[in-house]
Amino acid sequence: MKFTLSWLKDHLETDATLAEIVERLTSIGLEVEHVDDKSGLKPFVIAKVLTAVQHPDADRLRVLTVDTGDGKPPVQVVCGAPNARAGLIGAFAAPGTYVPGIDVTLTVGKIRGVESHGMMCSERELELSDEHNGIIDLPADAPVGTSFATYAHLDDPVIEINLTPNRPDATSVYGIARDLAASGLGRLVGGAIMPHAGSGMCPVKVAIEAPELCPGFALRLVKGVKNGPSPKWLQQRLIAIGLRPISALVDITNYVTFDRGRPLHVFDARKVAGNLVVRRARDGEKVLALDGREYTLTPEMCVIADDDGVESIAGIMGGEHSGCDENTTDVLVESALWDPITTARTGRTLGIITDARYRFERGVDPEFMVPGVELATKLVLDFCGGTPTEIEVAGYAGHQPKMVSFPLSDIKRLTGIEVPRTESLDILSRLGFTADGSGDVVNVTVPSWRPDVDGKADLVEEVMRIHGVDNIAPQPLGAHDAVNAKILTTLQVRTRTAKRALAVRGMMEAVTWSFIPARHAELFGGGQTALKLANPIAADMSDMRPSLLPGLIAAAQRNADKGIGDVALFEVSGTYEGDGADQQRRVAAGVRRGTAKLDGSGRNWAGNSGPVGVFDAKADAIAALEACGAPVDRLQIEAGGPAWYHPGRSGTIKLGPKTVLGTFGEFHPKTLEGLDASGPLCGFEVFVDAVPEPKAKPTKTKPRLELSAFQAVKRDFAFVVDRSVEAGTLVRAALAADKKLITGVSVFDIFEGASLGADKKSIAIEVSIQPVEKTLTDEDFEALAKRIVENVGKQTGGVLRG
């Protein structure tokens, strides 16, 4: 939101300096983003041309002698302006002056052999307009030697504030002045608007077919206007805030939009066919807007139409057909109320950003709908003349103010500051609130221009920002009750430990988008309407992700496309199965591509490392679950998984028959084809929030396990078993042979071949043996090996491979 200092002082009677105003704005919550004090125009002075003679070597140049009013001899200036003449008074720039319109710092130079000591400037060179056919020509009484910026009122500082979306009242200069006056920096003035008696009824009637989109509509016809340029002061204010003056009628609507936060629209009455109707757009209906672009509309959008079709996109932009121009003689001034959500959605869908949309989607003052027409009428009559009709008002049922029960003691409770009752009520009164009650609890009526105030906490905020948040004494953070007090939640702890465990396994953390294409979501069980975004930021980000795997697979493929085919990535983040809070899950997922394996034994009997497979994904999933505190010794592995995995090379991890903790496997070729990815690729997903909470630890501390003083030993075994036997079953059988000595069993090779027989396979395991009481002899090892072979044979039918 931009405005000039003089504009602010139209509504704020104050002696405060610019610095004081800027400081107060920030302190009351209207943070100042930038201040342009117009110092760049200070070097330009008013000067008089004494003589103007033809340049000896150039037909289009003249040599001027210029009196700058500083008491020194006149200076010589070479000028090419057609209006350069003796007696002309204009704006002069001396050597060393930066001229913004041409981006040049002047120096003393020679032009066709004649020295020039500065320049007489045009309006474009000072960025006052696009006019450059001649130099600035001021009246004869312009004071020579004084500042041109001061004379032309161009030294008016421009203030820009950064508004939060909850302050629609501060989208107007009047609203900002009201806040400053409430803070004690001056007196609010210029708010009264006198109604204009109309001559007859407005011949154009308004029908509202969609009252849920348009709670009110006011319209007035002004006949016999003469549209032309707006006054210089109005043009200067619009230029200062970045708007281009167009014509008096259009400039009036822009001025009222910024001055009072009341967007308006003007129609050329002769271009409107019949009456106006406010309705929903028809599917596929099109309109050529004032920006010269054609927009295709949908039934979710609101429009103003006449008998010939759409004339305006409600609350956003008017149509080009009914726009006002220099031939307009009868003008319809429209002031309406539009539904904020519909306005915002329409603007986003069509990609239109306007000052009107900015205000309507935040909420305008409903009680200023009719006064807005009256203010515009006054300006139209002042600038363009004409005769107004009565105002046609449709649909407006009046404003029902909100009532808030406000305990004044909440100011102390929520802020820690004791604000006297009288001061609190006075602050609310100056802001436009009305309080009724004698005790601690008062009933506060919220003004129509503050739709953001809903409850007592909002009123506390209003009191505190005017009283001064700098009055809140800083307080140190309270210390925890104990040094080891729990700070993080269980889910936060699991997220951290899962990330560390996967990083240790050689995987790199990735951060992918929460939005994915619809076709990717459908491959992973998503694509429902509940997961689709109403206004996606891009066509390929239309759905909330039901799984982390599509993003990780896409990331792995991007690495492969750039020559890094062996990559292992993981992510611990959220997935979305629906729009409810209970349908959001915390998931740890990862993918491996190419030969990015992690062989826990450090050995591979096949020689060079082979492509990643289902067991690599399984090991990653188990490691993540173990880091999250899952009881890995009680997990159950079922063959098969979701449809995006290969049916014969995937598995599901369960804890009991119903609790699914994760899935893993190699990806189905059709899944990779749908993601435009190539393999080999495997991956897993672990549901961090599905891991049961750990049981409470006993209060009595258990003795720590003593480390064994004896050397650990490893022994290898290879068993021939039926192809249907799972490696996990064999591992558990080997572990059960002696739970005291055997500390671990890992699989390091699986082999199938004709030499083993039909439907047979060989599983090679490495058994870790840790003596505890004594060093084991050869006889002890032989006895332990015999127990392992017998136990595996009993539980799996396996025999030791010869």
Side-chain angles (χ1 to χ4, degrees), residues 74 80 146 162 173 195 274 302 324 360 433 523 540 692 761:
T146 61
N162 185 16
V173 179
C302 185
C324 294
F360 279 125
F433 297 85
L523 289 172
D540 58 350
K761 66 180 178 181

Side-chain angles (χ1 to χ4, degrees), residues 246-278:
I246 298 174
S247 67
L249 293 176
V250 176
D251 293 351
I252 286 169
T253 63
N254 288 330
Y255 176 76
V256 176
T257 296
F258 279 83
D259 187 66
R260 296 303 185 96
R262 172 68 256 183
L264 304 170
H265 185 62
V266 287
F267 300 89
D268 188 326
R270 294 191 177 185
K271 299 176 183 177
V272 174
N275 294 321
L276 295 178
V277 58
V278 178

Side-chain angles (χ1 to χ4, degrees), residues 21-32:
I21 290 174
V22 168
E23 182 180 359
R24 184 63 58 88
L25 282 170
T26 300
S27 69
I28 62 176
L30 305 177
E31 182 182 0
V32 175

Side-chain angles (χ1 to χ4, degrees), residues 88-167:
L88 180 142
I89 299 178
F92 171 75
T97 301
Y98 173 74
V99 183
I102 57 176
D103 192 25
V104 168
T105 299
L106 298 179
T107 59
V108 177
K110 283 189 177 182
I111 301 176
R112 295 288 185 93
V114 178
E115 279 194 352
S116 181
H117 297 260
M119 71 181 295
M120 298 295 290
C121 302
S122 68
E123 290 192 356
R124 189 175 72 171
E125 287 159 348
L126 297 187
E127 295 186 334
L128 303 181
S129 71
D130 293 331
E131 178 60 44
H132 64 286
N133 292 326
I135 56 179
I136 296 172
D137 192 348
L138 298 177
D141 59 353
V144 175
T146 61
S147 168
F148 171 72
T150 301
Y151 171 81
H153 304 290
L154 299 175
D155 56 350
D156 195 4
V158 178
I159 304 170
E160 181 178 4
I161 62 174
N162 185 16
L163 281 182
T164 52
N166 66 321
R167 290 300 306 276

Side-chain angles (χ1 to χ4, degrees), residues 419-574:
V419 181
R421 171 191 170 86
T422 54
E423 182 183 350
S424 299
L425 297 180
D426 185 48
I427 288 173
L428 292 175
S429 176
R430 296 199 303 267
L431 289 170
F433 297 85
T434 304
D436 181 28
S438 57
D440 176 63
V441 179
V442 295
N443 294 319
V444 177
T445 303
V446 180
S448 58
W449 59 81
R450 293 302 302 271
D452 58 304
V453 176
D454 289 314
K456 55 187 180 181
D458 297 325
L459 295 175
V460 171
E461 181 183 0
E462 291 301 301
V463 172
M464 284 313 304
R465 70 184 183 89
I466 301 300
H467 175 74
V469 293
D470 52 344
N471 291 321
I472 300 176
Q475 298 289 336
L477 291 175
H480 293 289
D481 295 335
V483 174
N484 61 346
K486 185 176 180 180
I487 299 175
L488 302 179
T489 65
T490 300
L491 197 58
Q492 289 172 325
V493 172
R494 289 177 178 176
T495 299
R496 290 189 174 191
T497 54
K499 287 182 177 181
R500 289 182 182 140
L502 294 173
V504 167
R505 293 183 59 79
M507 307 184 81
M508 300 183 67
E509 184 176 8
V511 180
T512 63
W513 287 99
S514 298
F515 318 126
I516 60 175
R519 56 190 178 89
H520 292 183
E522 290 168 2
L523 289 172
F524 287 81
Q528 303 97 327
T529 303
L531 294 178
K532 291 191 175 296
L533 300 175
N535 295 288
I537 60 177
D540 58 350
M541 293 183 176
S542 60
D543 287 46
M544 299 296 290
R545 62 185 178 195
S547 167
L548 299 179
L549 294 173
L552 290 173
I553 294 173
Q557 186 60 41
R558 284 194 296 271
N559 279 273
D561 294 341
K562 294 180 180 180
I564 308 174
D566 301 329
V567 63
L569 304 174
F570 78 90
E571 183 173 7
V572 184
S573 189

Side-chain angles (χ1 to χ4, degrees), residues 284-406:
E285 201 167 23
K286 295 183 179 181
V287 60
L288 181 63
L290 287 170
D291 61 356
R293 296 173 58 190
E294 187 176 65
Y295 296 95
T296 302
L297 310 177
T298 66
E300 290 76 27
M301 302 174 184
C302 185
V303 298
I304 305 172
D306 62 6
D307 293 348
D308 292 338
V310 177
E311 292 291 355
S312 175
I313 306 172
I316 297 177
M317 185 177 289
E320 188 176 85
H321 166 70
S322 59
C324 294
D325 54 31
E326 66 277 3
N327 299 317
T328 299
T329 57
D330 297 340
V331 61
L332 286 167
V333 181
E334 168 251 305
S335 175
L337 301 174
W338 306 110
D339 175 59
I341 295 177
T342 303
T343 303
R345 185 183 295 120
T346 301
R348 290 193 191 103
T349 302
L350 299 179
I352 305 176
I353 300 174
T354 62
D355 293 317
R357 172 196 160 186
Y358 180 84
R359 286 157 177 80
F360 279 125
E361 67 185 7
R362 284 161 173 77
V364 300
D365 182 2
E367 290 291 86
F368 200 76
M369 181 180 72
V370 173
V373 176
E374 297 286 8
L375 178 57
T377 301
K378 177 185 183 304
L379 296 173
V380 170
L381 298 180
D382 290 346
F383 303 160
C384 308
T387 304
T389 67
E390 294 289 344
I391 298 177
E392 171 82 10
V393 179
Y396 187 57
H399 174 66
Q400 295 297 323
K402 289 182 283 189
M403 299 285 293
V404 178
S405 179
F406 180 37

